[in-house]
Amino acid sequence: MKLKNKNPEYLLKMGFVAIGILVIVAIIIGSWVWNLIFDPTNFDVVAWGNSAIFNGSISLAMMVLGFVAVNESLKSKESGKYQKRIDAFNDLVSELFKSSRIVFFDQFISWYAEKQVREKKIKYLTRHGMPRIDAEIVIDYADINDIPTLSGLEYGKKPSGQFGKDKIKKLKDGKEVLLPAFRDTLAPFVEEVLNGEINVVVEDASYYTTVDKNKDGNLTSLERAQATEKDRIKSMRYSFVSKIVTGLIYITIFSLLAVDLNQGAGTSEAVWNLIMRIGSATLGFICGGFSGSSNTRFLYKWLGDKMRVINEYNQYLDSGEFKPKTYEETSKERITKIHQEEEEIMRNIVEPVLVADRTKEFENLEPTLTYKGGETNANEQSN
């Protein structure tokens, strides 16, 4: 039978199912020949434990080999999904640098983070039953002190599902806005939002334009040919050594599969051990291969997520919704901030000095005592 779907992950799943069926069949047959293979009266616990440990070691070793084999195979396949995705990612980043749009990418990440934080807060409240329009108004204009009025929930009392009261709030520009009332059951969630507990974890801007261990990103087209040659030589050495090690592991494992015959074990027991060990090795390899395929799939998605951020940056920049600041504008803001910091430092230095100078003015003055008849020097009074 010819499989129509040749997707590696699909084939691994089918292989896993096939192994599962074989294991079930082996258990059924094993239960039938149990008395022939194992005599319960002569059951050796130590030998059974050693066999279980040995079979487990074989399975783990083959799992690692299966993971490496499938993962590297899928990543290095020229026509594979991962290779196509990483090529598209590199092209997208390269275009970002060529068009000089990379200059404003840092600003976009900060701007977009604020936008997504607001959207995340809105989704959080709507998920708990608040209408979206009300959620937007509460997030934009309300504060913690407004919650008791809007929810009607008094301190120390349990929510009962009742609504609070609408509140008119006056803004700094003199305008008024109506804060909508909501059920008292929403008060804890509104408090979390207004307290800043809902956030977005943002990486540095360079994270979205690079791939781990990708050293070619900073190379020019003239440098890449030489770098590719070095990578080829390094890859061939690694491949050669890894295949020798892998081959030795394979030879060692399969040479030990029937070792029981050399230790005086019965033919039926040795055959059974051979079947179990081959099954352990095969099952371990398939499990490792499935994990390697899953790892490649997540790497594929990871690259797609980074590409989505870059594409969204281009869309917001083209539409004009994101308006980056020029170097002159950012420089002016930074200069103003530096001047303000310097003025604050000078203010903190000068004011204590003036106070100290004023105190020195009175250090040399002789104290006076006041009477009804007038002032008298304290020294004269003592005389």
Side-chain angles (χ1 to χ4, degrees), residues 88-98 208-210 310:
F89 173 79
N90 288 332
D91 291 341
L92 189 62
V93 173
S94 178
E95 183 62 30
L96 198 65
F97 277 85
K98 287 181 179 178
Y208 301 98
T209 57
T210 56
I310 298 175

Side-chain angles (χ1 to χ4, degrees), residues 79-126:
S79 58
K81 293 172 63 178
Y82 177 81
Q83 195 62 44
K84 290 181 179 178
R85 173 60 61 85
I86 199 169
D87 288 341
F89 173 79
N90 288 332
D91 291 341
L92 189 62
V93 173
S94 178
E95 183 62 30
L96 198 65
F97 277 85
K98 287 181 179 178
S99 62
S100 299
R101 290 191 167 203
I102 192 65
V103 175
F104 306 115
F105 193 61
D106 289 349
Q107 294 183 37
F108 171 76
I109 294 299
S110 301
W111 175 83
Y112 202 36
E114 294 179 2
K115 184 180 179 66
Q116 290 196 336
V117 166
R118 182 177 182 274
E119 187 63 27
K120 190 174 183 179
K121 290 178 179 179
I122 293 172
K123 287 182 179 179
Y124 184 71
L125 293 180
T126 55

Side-chain angles (χ1 to χ4, degrees), residues 18-34:
I19 290 297
I21 295 174
L22 291 176
V23 170
I24 294 174
V25 173
I27 292 174
I28 295 174
I29 297 175
S31 63
W32 177 62
V33 295
W34 176 265

Side-chain angles (χ1 to χ4, degrees), residues 37-205:
I37 298 174
F38 294 109
D39 185 356
T41 59
N42 297 321
F43 184 72
D44 190 342
V45 177
V46 176
W48 172 79
N50 291 335
S51 178
I53 293 174
F54 186 74
N55 288 335
S57 301
I58 290 175
S59 181
L60 289 174
M62 295 300 290
M63 187 179 296
V64 173
L65 294 176
F67 177 87
V68 174
V70 174
N71 186 60
E72 293 301 322
S73 176
L74 292 176
K75 289 174 65 176
S76 60
K77 189 177 180 181
E78 289 294 334
S79 58
K81 293 172 63 178
Y82 177 81
Q83 195 62 44
K84 290 181 179 178
R85 173 60 61 85
I86 199 169
D87 288 341
F89 173 79
N90 288 332
D91 291 341
L92 189 62
V93 173
S94 178
E95 183 62 30
L96 198 65
F97 277 85
K98 287 181 179 178
S99 62
S100 299
R101 290 191 167 203
I102 192 65
V103 175
F104 306 115
F105 193 61
D106 289 349
Q107 294 183 37
F108 171 76
I109 294 299
S110 301
W111 175 83
Y112 202 36
E114 294 179 2
K115 184 180 179 66
Q116 290 196 336
V117 166
R118 182 177 182 274
E119 187 63 27
K120 190 174 183 179
K121 290 178 179 179
I122 293 172
K123 287 182 179 179
Y124 184 71
L125 293 180
T126 55
R127 205 163 47 237
H128 288 92
M130 181 179 287
R132 182 180 176 90
I133 296 178
D134 292 357
E136 291 179 355
I137 295 175
V138 168
I139 290 171
D140 292 339
Y141 301 108
D143 56 44
I144 296 294
N145 298 327
D146 298 323
I147 294 179
T149 303
L150 298 178
S151 65
L153 184 63
E154 298 180 10
Y155 180 76
K157 291 189 176 181
K158 294 183 179 180
S160 58
Q162 300 298 320
F163 278 88
K165 295 182 179 179
D166 293 339
K167 182 177 180 179
I168 299 175
K169 191 165 188 177
K170 195 170 185 178
L171 304 180
K172 292 181 180 180
D173 57 2
K175 295 181 180 179
E176 293 181 340
V177 62
L178 178 66
L179 300 181
F182 50 81
R183 293 186 185 276
D184 52 12
T185 53
L186 289 172
F189 307 114
V190 175
E191 184 177 1
E192 289 180 24
V193 169
L194 298 182
N195 272 336
E197 296 181 28
I198 308 298
N199 291 305
V200 172
V201 179
V202 182
E203 295 287 348
D204 186 78

Side-chain angles (χ1 to χ4, degrees), residues 142 156 233 254 372:
I233 296 173
F254 284 103
K372 292 182 180 179

Side-chain angles (χ1 to χ4, degrees), residues 107 134 140 156 177 221 226 261 293 299 311 321 360:
Q107 294 183 37
D134 292 357
D140 292 339
V177 62
S221 59
Q226 185 178 3
L261 287 175
S293 177
L299 288 175
N311 286 327
E321 185 173 351
K360 288 180 181 180

Side-chain angles (χ1 to χ4, degrees), residues 295-307:
N295 181 64
T296 307
R297 185 177 70 251
F298 281 112
L299 288 175
Y300 177 85
K301 184 179 181 298
W302 175 67
L303 287 172
D305 292 336
K306 290 190 174 188
M307 293 176 66

